[in-house]
Amino acid sequence: MPPIDPFDDTSDDLPFYEATQLRFHSVAELIGLDDSHREILSAPKNELIVNFPVLLDDGRYRRFTGYRIQHNNILGPFKGGVRFHPSVSLDEVKALAALMTFKCALVDIPFGGAKGGITFSPADHSRGELERIVRRFTHALGANIGPEHDMPAPDVGSDAQAMVWMMDTYANSSHSPDRTAARRVVTGKTIEVGGSLGREKATGQGVAFALEHHLAETGRIVRDMTVSLQGYGNVGSHTARILAADGAVIRAVADHTGAVFAGDGLDPHKLAAWVHEHGGVAGFSGAEPLSAADFWRVDVDICIPAALERQITSTNAPDIAASIVVEAANGPVTPTAERILLERGVEVLPDLLMNAGGVIVSYFEWVQNKASEKWPVTEVDRRLRTLMWAAADRLLETRDRLGCTRRDAAYAVALDRLRTVYEQRGIFP
Ligand code: NAD
């Protein structure tokens, strides 16, 4: 009898956290993870919700809600980004925190998984308000974060400046005798205050390295391949620039403001400058406008969702012309859409591997801060490539051994590593 597919009767509406849980349980079954380890890993260790007031420029106070979910720390301190977006919810942050545990385990870095966020739109606030929101959130988190305990990083809507405000607030409110340790309470900082060279582009660089590995499996290279990207923020814009430098042709880009198309390829640097100035891709003079529905139909070899979760659904999956979908975002393909894509012969390269470059270089930043070192960007990239390729090798070997999808293989590698550590350490007391 074929194994029961837990996603058989699910729909695109399956909440993100539930989809992550179902995936976890189905791979736990596949590798025979025992009940106690399954029990531990099936819920976050800590869930923190903070409500805090912030003074707005017009003299009023507004209450904000923030989250920090610490999923698991058996492999090392909790690690994961903070998201500033109106869609941030407990469900979303719990799913993203679990993905961080599995991602760190897959790429073999000594970190656990966490995620945080604040439910608001940064674009609706002045720089002064933004700074007060970030600092008040950090204060509310208090000793729940720390340089050896839980280290946030940037995610959707947050950036290096937000990390510096978090670090400064933490440093000024903690009474640790090791004052310089406070620097590494966050990663993804600006270079001047202790960030790592290569961190800003790291997720995009990791996407490029993992894609290179994937193509090499069948003797292909990225040169002359056509690409579309959804999301032109940190991850999307760096991925586009790196792939274009390797000879890829960027044909279409979509974001929250619209979509643009250029059959012969658009200039990813000019588009990045446009987005910086205008806040989105809409109106970019170096390309034609495109409807959101047509964006997914653009004839390309590689489609790279690099925005939010649940963007490729059963509605648009049948239209996707690309033969490779690269999950640069977390959870961009619903389980239902993934089944449609796989049935159509589309290769789906899973988020756990593809966007791990960010947390890997965050780990390098943390190590450099600890040792008071500053590595050249060539060294950062060399080490990043080594870890990405080693993880990709393990994923493929596991996929071939288990005869499963790439996503299930990524989970299997991660769960196997977590199981080994739980077996050796035992469960206290
Ligand atoms: P970002 O804030 O820099 O960019 C987000 C992009 O998504 C923007 O271009 C925005 O316009 C677009 N977007 C937002 N809402 C949209 C919508 N409804 N429809 C279409 N586009 C929309 O964020 P980022 O850091 O680039 O993160 C993007 C994804 O990559 C997220 O899933 C994030 O979790 C994941 N990720 C980020 C990192 C990192 O280092 N920043 C690391 C790993 C994974």
Side-chain angles (χ1 to χ4, degrees):
M1 237 181 38
I4 295 165
D5 180 352
F7 295 100
D8 233 4
D9 54 2
T10 63
S11 76
D12 292 322
D13 301 329
L14 186 69
F16 189 21
Y17 182 59
E18 225 173 287
T20 314
Q21 289 291 90
L22 268 183
R23 179 74 57 192
F24 161 73
H25 284 295
S26 93
V27 180
E29 192 70 39
L30 181 70
I31 67 163
L33 191 68
D34 77 44
D35 285 349
S36 38
H37 298 145
R38 212 185 279 201
E39 179 87 6
I40 293 168
L41 287 164
S42 64
K45 276 190 114 168
N46 307 309
E47 302 180 29
L48 186 66
I49 304 179
V50 290
N51 290 305
F52 53 94
V54 176
L55 177 65
L56 303 180
D57 293 343
D58 64 8
R60 288 179 305 129
Y61 280 86
R62 191 189 137 187
R63 178 173 46 77
F64 289 81
T65 300
Y67 304 88
R68 188 69 184 169
I69 304 299
Q70 298 169 331
H71 180 262
N72 189 276
N73 63 348
I74 192 80
L75 299 181
F78 297 110
K79 186 84 188 97
V82 283
R83 180 173 288 195
F84 301 160
H85 195 274
S87 76
V88 167
S89 65
L90 184 60
D91 178 88
E92 181 183 70
V93 184
K94 279 170 74 172
L96 292 166
L99 291 182
M100 285 306 296
T101 297
F102 305 138
K103 191 176 302 178
C104 293
L106 167 65
V107 298
D108 198 12
I109 55 174
F111 281 160
K115 202 82 180 192
I118 309 174
T119 314
F120 81 112
S121 169
D124 295 345
H125 292 273
S126 68
R127 185 182 160 93
E129 287 180 350
L130 208 52
E131 177 173 353
R132 292 196 291 279
I133 294 165
V134 172
R135 286 189 184 277
R136 203 60 177 70
F137 175 56
T138 311
H139 178 75
L141 293 178
N144 290 292
I145 57 170
E148 302 292 332
H149 171 56
D150 182 358
M151 301 86 70
D155 191 73
V156 174
S158 60
D159 59 9
Q161 177 61 68
M163 293 308 108
V164 173
W165 288 327
M166 286 193 86
M167 187 213 79
D168 186 73
T169 307
Y170 179 85
N172 278 293
S173 26
S174 82
H175 300 287
S176 162
D178 180 0
R179 284 170 196 274
T180 54
R183 265 196 326 172
R184 56 179 195 277
V185 69
V186 289
T187 57
K189 301 178 287 286
T190 60
I191 303 298
E192 295 76 11
V193 301
S196 175
L197 292 170
R199 172 62 184 91
E200 195 176 319
K201 65 164 182 145
T203 308
Q205 187 66 68
V207 169
F209 286 148
L211 181 60
E212 180 196 9
H213 182 283
H214 173 74
L215 296 174
E217 203 193 336
T218 47
R220 295 172 288 179
I221 55 169
V222 83
R223 170 160 295 283
D224 296 332
M225 286 213 164
T226 50
V227 175
S228 65
L229 297 111
Q230 186 206 32
Y232 213 69
N234 173 289
V235 178
S237 72
H238 282 292
T239 301
R241 284 174 277 185
I242 293 164
L243 294 182
D246 289 342
V249 178
I250 311 298
R251 283 194 128 171
V253 177
D255 72 0
H256 71 289
T257 65
V260 291
F261 169 81
D264 295 338
L266 49 79
D267 183 327
H269 298 277
K270 286 188 179 148
L271 182 59
W274 177 275
V275 170
H276 185 69
E277 196 179 335
H278 301 272
V281 302
F284 176 53
S285 48
E288 301 161 28
L290 196 66
S291 75
D294 283 343
F295 165 78
W296 298 108
R297 295 193 190 103
V298 171
D299 184 18
V300 284
D301 300 308
I302 304 170
C303 172
I304 308 183
L308 298 175
E309 56 272 12
R310 306 205 296 176
Q311 297 300 302
I312 300 183
T313 63
S314 54
T315 307
N316 55 6
D319 294 339
I320 287 183
S323 55
I324 304 175
V325 169
V326 173
E327 290 190 329
N330 283 305
V333 178
T334 67
T336 320
E338 181 170 20
R339 175 155 350 114
I340 295 169
L341 292 172
L342 294 176
E343 278 168 7
R344 291 183 49 224
V346 178
E347 298 164 305
V348 180
L349 311 188
D351 48 6
L352 284 190
L353 174 69
M354 300 312 288
N355 68 30
V359 74
I360 290 175
V361 178
S362 273
Y363 166 55
F364 296 162
E365 177 175 328
W366 186 78
V367 168
Q368 289 172 78
N369 287 169
K370 224 171 149 107
S372 293
E373 286 185 4
K374 202 158 195 170
W375 302 348
V377 69
T378 45
E379 177 64 10
V380 171
D381 286 351
R382 187 190 65 77
R383 289 182 188 237
L384 172 61
R385 188 175 184 280
T386 303
L387 290 194
M388 292 297 298
W389 273 56
D393 283 343
R394 279 192 296 277
L395 191 156
L396 283 190
E397 180 274 316
T398 304
R399 180 199 59 171
D400 294 345
R401 184 166 43 82
L402 298 177
C404 61
T405 64
R406 289 183 176 83
R407 188 184 312 282
D408 284 355
Y411 272 75
V413 174
L415 294 186
D416 206 38
R417 189 180 308 283
L418 288 155
R419 164 168 59 191
T420 304
V421 176
Y422 271 114
E423 278 172 0
Q424 290 180 10
R425 283 180 63 161
I427 298 164
F428 179 80

